[in-house]
């Protein structure tokens, strides 16, 4: 019985299952390559953002420091200017972080929304 069904099962496997497995492997490789490309772009963007942030932070610290030290203002005015800059330094990064870390934005950037639509359509 095994001698009869063995070749038939092997032939069925090679004609039905192997092409599907081959396509799945190709799709997995394509996804892996896209993931590497996205990771590379992310690292480049992250490096550029860190560089810009360091330059911007240096300038942002020096401007109010220079204003508070060298302007002929009253101490209360200098304190008000320093507090205003401090509030801006806290609120602007907080707003930027909230905007950049939104789930909707990440779903769109990573194309997970399209992936979800494709998966749900095929069901």
């Amino acid at each position: 019985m095994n001698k009869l069904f063995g070749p038939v099962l092997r032939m069925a496997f090679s004609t039905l299952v192997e092409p599907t497995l081959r396509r799945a492997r190709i799709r997995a490789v394509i996804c892996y390559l896209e993931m590497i490309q996205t990771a590379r772009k992310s690292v480049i963007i992250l490096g550029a953002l860190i560089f810009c942030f360091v330059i911007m932070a240096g300038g942002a610290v020096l401007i109010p420091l220079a204003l508070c030290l060298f302007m002929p203002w009253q101490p209360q005015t200098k304190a008000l200017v320093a507090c205003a800059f401090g509030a801006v330094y806290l609120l602007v990064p907080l707003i930027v972080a909230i905007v950049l870390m939104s789930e909707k934005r990440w779903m769109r950037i990573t194309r997970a929304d399209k992936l979800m639509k494709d998966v749900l359509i095929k069901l």
Side-chain angles (χ1 to χ4, degrees), residues 71-120:
M71 293 302 283
W73 292 335
Q74 298 287 329
Q76 294 87 359
T77 306
K78 289 181 180 183
L80 185 64
V81 168
C83 287
F85 274 107
V88 168
Y89 288 163
L90 289 175
L91 293 176
V92 169
L94 179 66
I95 292 169
V96 169
I98 288 171
V99 169
L100 290 179
M101 295 299 163
S102 73
E103 186 176 355
K104 182 187 273 186
R105 181 176 308 275
W106 277 89
M107 290 289 282
R108 190 178 68 238
I109 289 171
T110 60
R111 297 185 201 146
D113 55 349
K114 292 179 183 177
L115 181 64
M116 291 294 293
K117 286 178 186 175
D118 289 345
V119 168
L120 293 175

Side-chain angles (χ1 to χ4, degrees), residues 42-82:
S42 298
V43 167
I44 291 171
I45 290 171
L46 182 65
L49 283 175
I50 289 172
F51 174 75
C52 291
F53 179 75
V54 168
I55 298 296
M56 194 171 51
V61 168
L62 291 177
I63 289 172
L65 183 65
L67 281 175
C68 288
L69 288 177
F70 299 115
M71 293 302 283
W73 292 335
Q74 298 287 329
Q76 294 87 359
T77 306
K78 289 181 180 183
L80 185 64
V81 168

Side-chain angles (χ1 to χ4, degrees), residues 24-43:
R25 285 182 187 143
I26 291 170
R27 183 67 187 141
V29 168
I30 290 171
C31 288
Y32 179 71
L33 292 175
E34 288 175 355
M35 191 171 58
I36 289 173
Q37 184 180 22
T38 303
R40 179 182 165 274
K41 286 179 183 177
S42 298
V43 167

